[in-house]
Amino acid sequence: SNDDGCGQLSFYVLPPSGCKPGDELHVAFTPPYGYCDLLRHITVWHHLVRASTSSIRFEERVLCRTQDGRKLHLLIVTSQQELRANRAGKVPAPPASGASSPFSNFDTGKRVVLISGRVHPGEVSASHALHGLITFLLGNDPRAAQLR
């Protein structure tokens, strides 16, 4: 309840049947998103791109390995037109302003946005947010095509 408008949120948790007094009950802020989930979703995204009629380039690279030996993935989402133009030698010139910006440019001159998530182990909601963003960018929505 939030009757006084001070921003405090209260709620009640009804324990599942079979819980006895003194049993531990764990309540999660968000559903888990583990490394196996990421690997499974990367596979699904590769299949989604192969089945798509859109001109999507989805590339997976390994930046490095974690202390646990897991791969740290870099996922690239862009359009195939940029790749074809680059192969044909039609590389657009980089922006003429020469001003420093928070964007990097690929050799095509296309701006790059780097989105990072799950820097710390407890940031599960960031994994869900990135999952939604990548799924959107790989979809058929005209806004996603414009962003690619």
Side-chain angles (χ1 to χ4, degrees), residues 45-61:
W45 291 325
H46 278 294
H47 290 297
L48 182 71
V49 169
R50 279 194 284 271
S52 174
T53 58
S54 300
S55 179
I56 300 172
R57 175 183 170 205
F58 178 68
E59 188 176 326
E60 172 192 2
R61 296 182 185 173

Side-chain angles (χ1 to χ4, degrees), residues 3 18 44 53 67 74-75 81-82 102 117-118 120-122 125-126 134 145:
D3 297 333
V44 169
T53 58
Q67 290 179 344
L74 169 68
L75 304 177
Q81 283 93 358
E82 297 298 325
R118 195 69 184 261
H120 303 99
S125 56
I134 293 167

Side-chain angles (χ1 to χ4, degrees), residues 1-123:
S1 69
N2 190 11
D3 297 333
D4 59 359
C6 70
Q8 182 177 355
L9 179 65
S10 301
F11 57 93
Y12 298 95
V13 176
L14 297 175
S17 62
C19 275
K20 299 179 282 303
D23 284 353
E24 283 189 29
L25 177 65
H26 298 269
V27 179
F29 172 71
T30 182
Y33 195 106
Y35 186 68
C36 290
D37 296 317
L38 172 65
L39 296 178
R40 187 177 71 248
H41 291 131
I42 288 173
T43 301
V44 169
W45 291 325
H46 278 294
H47 290 297
L48 182 71
V49 169
R50 279 194 284 271
S52 174
T53 58
S54 300
S55 179
I56 300 172
R57 175 183 170 205
F58 178 68
E59 188 176 326
E60 172 192 2
R61 296 182 185 173
V62 177
L63 288 177
C64 61
R65 293 197 178 260
T66 67
Q67 290 179 344
D68 293 338
R70 294 178 175 174
K71 295 176 182 176
L72 181 61
H73 297 270
L74 169 68
L75 304 177
I76 298 171
V77 179
T78 189
S79 62
Q80 286 289 355
Q81 283 93 358
E82 297 298 325
L83 187 61
R84 278 193 288 257
N86 190 19
R87 286 184 182 153
K90 301 174 184 173
V91 180
S97 68
S100 174
S101 78
F103 299 100
S104 296
N105 290 301
F106 278 128
D107 55 352
T108 62
K110 187 173 184 177
R111 287 187 171 181
V112 177
V113 178
L114 175 66
I115 302 170
S116 174
R118 195 69 184 261
V119 176
H120 303 99
E123 297 171 344

